[in-house]
Amino acid sequence: MSHLPEAVLKDLKSKKFAPIYFLQGDEPYFIDLISDFLEKNAIPEVERGFNQLVLYGKEAAVSTILSHARKFPMMADKQLVLIKEAQNIPDLGKEDAQKLLLNYLSNPLPSTILVFAY
């Protein structure tokens, strides 16, 4: 997948989902556009109650986020774990949290779409 917002959106509209998205940059418009698209379209509406979770960075430690990301979807193919304002994750800069995150990034659960809107 490409790093250009337009290319990412094209893939998303074609239902080509990556296991992890880290959305960051100087232009919050594209971060919001992509995260909103995923929130509204990645998981069918009838499956969202069990398979879509939106967290805010200030409220979630890395271990909590990864605990949700490692769960399998309930009666569905995919689940979405979206972290808005990911720059506010309280332990993101700590060594233990970074090790946990790197471990997950090296072997993500294919049935999870993990999105950091930074």
Side-chain angles (χ1 to χ4, degrees):
M1 289 191 183
S2 175
H3 298 285
L4 297 173
E6 297 83 3
V8 171
L9 280 168
K10 182 180 177 189
D11 284 344
L12 295 177
K13 289 176 182 176
S14 299
K15 301 277 187 204
K16 295 178 186 173
F17 300 113
I20 300 166
Y21 293 91
F22 191 86
L23 308 173
Q24 64 92 31
D26 296 330
E27 186 53 63
Y29 170 78
F30 290 113
I31 295 169
D32 293 341
L33 186 66
I34 292 170
S35 61
D36 288 348
F37 183 89
L38 282 162
E39 190 173 357
K40 293 175 184 164
N41 299 288
I43 305 300
E45 191 171 349
V46 297
E47 297 175 0
R48 289 182 194 155
F50 292 110
N51 297 305
Q52 182 165 305
L53 178 65
V54 177
L55 300 169
Y56 285 85
K58 66 182 176 190
E59 301 168 352
V62 169
S63 60
T64 302
I65 294 166
L66 296 180
S67 174
H68 290 293
R70 287 189 177 103
K71 292 180 182 175
F72 288 97
M74 186 174 287
M75 299 181 292
D77 293 331
K78 296 266 185 209
Q79 74 163 343
L80 174 68
V81 178
L82 172 61
I83 298 82
K84 294 183 176 187
E85 301 171 8
Q87 69 276 9
N88 296 325
I89 297 171
D91 61 344
L92 191 58
K94 296 183 180 170
E95 187 176 346
D96 290 346
Q98 290 176 353
K99 285 181 183 177
L100 287 172
L101 189 56
L102 287 173
N103 186 33
Y104 182 83
L105 294 176
S106 67
N107 191 23
L109 194 65
S111 58
T112 296
I113 303 167
L114 178 59
V115 182
F116 293 92
Y118 191 88

